[in-house]
Amino acid sequence: MRSGRTIAVAGLLLAADIATSTLSANDIPQGERRSGYSFMSPDTQAIQNDDTTNPGMLWVLDGEALWNSKAGATGKACADCHQDARVSMKGVAARYPAFDKTLGHPVDLEQRINLCRARHQETTPLRYESRDLLALTAFVAQQSRGMAIEAGTDPQLDPFVARGHELFMQRQGQLNLGCTNCHDDNWDKHLAGSAITQAQPTGYPLYRLEWQSLGSLQRRLRACIGGIRAQTYDYGAPELVELELYLMSRARGMSIETPAVRP
Amino acid sequence: MASALINVPARAKRGDIIEIKTLMSHIMETGYRHTAAGEVVPRNIITSLTCRYNGAEIFRADLFPAIAANPFITFFTVATESGKFDFEWIGDRGFTEIASASITVE
């Protein structure tokens, strides 16, 4: 009886806490938010600083070629509708994932590109992590480089941001860890030799030296979820998009770095 | 879709030591890896990079399986005259790529 009441009271306090404040106790204060870039060695930073040394630019160049190449039954290129990406795609990546009215849920940039392929080019979707999809995504996202992230402001996205937040806080896997246990609580420490960062998704798709390739935020999330020995979500799963959306709204105001370089 | 990124200074003074940076898109598959089924993934690497300055070879590198994907190679040379740098990468499976960059020497 007594323990039951304690639990009920604790539950009420928790509910009140969530209701009254979107900032939970362990959120990173706005002024202390740092891009993963600032955790890197000067050598790795130098690779990102120069577009002729940044391997991510290889994908951007490929993406530019794809942007202008015709595809699908309608024989349209991205450029036939969107013209010059430097103008039309400026700021787009800063707003993604965004709500798709037809589907009734948020889609990330990769999914938007594939929706465009299906709806307007009438062709098959590009496979997740395929060179072409990464290249197009990197090319589109690079047009927003230096701009402030503004994802998640659309009120229709609120429930999805909230679910992403829940997933971020939820302990799971054999190691029983939530994202927050490392990336909110311990970001100034190290895990073995590697810096634990704040998980700010400012530079995706990005070139990881470990991958020797460009990779998406979903790939990064799946690697982390595997790392805590939990069941990974499939590429394109709503949970991954919700996590992406939460992370992007958590990083609101930080600058896009695409294509970033990370160790 | 191989592509190269080249960084050569657009202009330099005669006698200046200049840095040339090259980045080539390539998977650099070592030939030592196996698939889940146990089959060897065949080697597929770049084997050489050559740079010519107005036709004269000034740099050559042989590449081996221990080199990471998307090889980034930099080297130095002396700016002697205005003209062109020609780069050529050669590799397994008939891989060849060329790129060039111009320099003005004052």
Side-chain angles (χ1 to χ4, degrees):
Chain A
M1 184 68 199
R2 198 171 149 190
S3 69
R5 199 170 61 195
T6 314
I7 289 166
V9 169
L12 276 175
L13 284 173
L14 198 67
D17 186 40
I18 290 165
T20 51
S21 129
T22 50
L23 271 177
S24 65
N26 45 10
D27 269 351
I28 301 166
Q30 294 281 308
E32 287 178 30
R33 291 184 308 169
R34 284 167 57 186
S35 156
Y37 176 89
S38 68
F39 293 84
M40 306 197 298
S41 71
D43 283 346
T44 317
Q45 290 181 348
I47 302 175
Q48 179 177 325
N49 291 346
D50 179 350
D51 276 350
T52 58
T53 65
N54 181 344
M57 290 306 291
L58 296 168
W59 276 258
V60 171
L61 288 176
D62 283 352
E64 185 170 13
L66 288 167
W67 180 264
N68 293 304
S69 66
K70 298 187 184 303
T74 57
K76 280 187 192 164
C78 308
D80 288 332
C81 293
H82 298 289
Q83 285 83 37
D84 186 357
R86 279 166 191 80
V87 180
S88 61
M89 292 296 116
K90 197 173 167 60
V92 168
R95 296 193 291 271
Y96 268 75
F99 192 80
D100 185 89
K101 284 197 175 60
T102 314
L103 296 175
H105 61 73
V107 294
D108 64 16
L109 205 49
E110 284 88 346
Q111 290 172 326
R112 167 61 61 209
I113 288 168
N114 273 333
L115 283 174
C116 244
R117 283 174 67 81
R119 290 172 185 171
H120 306 298
Q121 294 182 308
E122 295 177 21
T123 184
T124 50
L126 297 168
R127 193 174 50 77
Y128 280 101
E129 302 308 296
S130 63
R131 185 162 181 109
D132 285 3
L133 185 56
L134 288 170
L136 267 173
T137 312
F139 176 64
V140 170
Q142 195 231 2
Q143 310 310 323
S144 305
R145 187 150 68 170
M147 298 179 71
I149 293 172
E150 46 185 282
T153 44
D154 180 352
Q156 295 177 99
L157 290 170
D158 289 350
F160 300 96
V161 177
R163 270 213 287 283
H165 184 223
E166 265 169 46
L167 286 165
F168 190 83
M169 304 305 286
Q170 178 192 308
R171 286 181 180 270
Q172 55 178 327
Q174 287 179 327
L175 299 189
N176 198 30
L177 287 169
C179 313
T180 183
N181 300 125
C182 286
H183 299 292
D184 281 335
D185 300 343
N186 288 295
W187 57 264
D188 49 352
K189 300 190 182 74
H190 284 74
L191 184 62
S194 305
I196 299 173
T197 66
Q198 296 180 351
Q200 307 287 8
T202 49
Y204 286 91
L206 56 73
Y207 191 89
R208 267 196 91 193
L209 302 181
E210 183 189 312
W211 292 337
Q212 298 189 34
S213 169
L214 210 69
S216 69
L217 179 51
Q218 292 206 0
R219 179 173 180 184
R220 172 70 264 187
L221 290 171
R222 280 165 51 90
C224 252
I225 293 166
I228 56 169
R229 298 185 200 160
Q231 182 74 43
T232 52
Y233 307 108
D234 290 334
Y235 278 111
E239 289 87 351
L240 286 178
V241 180
E242 284 156 11
L243 271 170
E244 285 183 86
L245 178 61
Y246 170 66
L247 288 175
M248 284 295 277
S249 56
R250 178 172 170 265
R252 210 175 291 147
M254 299 179 75
S255 294
I256 298 265
E257 295 168 49
T258 309
V261 175
R262 295 290 182 267
Chain B
M1 280 199 295
S3 46
L5 290 172
I6 307 286
N7 185 356
V8 173
R11 46 187 66 245
K13 288 200 182 75
R14 193 174 307 277
D16 273 1
I17 294 169
I18 54 167
E19 184 175 19
I20 293 172
K21 300 177 189 171
T22 69
L23 181 64
M24 169 50 74
S25 177
H26 200 285
I27 59 166
M28 297 297 280
E29 182 59 55
T30 61
Y32 297 126
R33 300 198 306 163
H34 293 76
T35 63
E39 289 159 18
V40 174
V41 182
R43 194 185 87 161
N44 181 13
I45 63 167
I46 297 172
T47 50
S48 97
L49 163 65
T50 313
C51 175
R52 291 187 186 80
Y53 186 8
N54 287 339
E57 184 174 306
I58 55 158
F59 179 84
R60 175 190 288 272
D62 291 332
L63 285 80
F64 296 93
I67 294 170
N70 309 312
F72 174 62
I73 296 173
T74 76
F75 52 93
F76 294 87
T77 191
V78 177
T80 53
E81 54 186 345
S82 295
K84 214 169 94 174
F85 290 94
D86 289 299
F87 302 86
E88 185 180 24
W89 293 259
I90 295 172
D92 295 334
R93 304 185 184 187
F95 177 87
T96 58
E97 276 291 322
I98 53 168
S100 61
S102 302
I103 187 169
T104 306
V105 176
E106 293 147 346

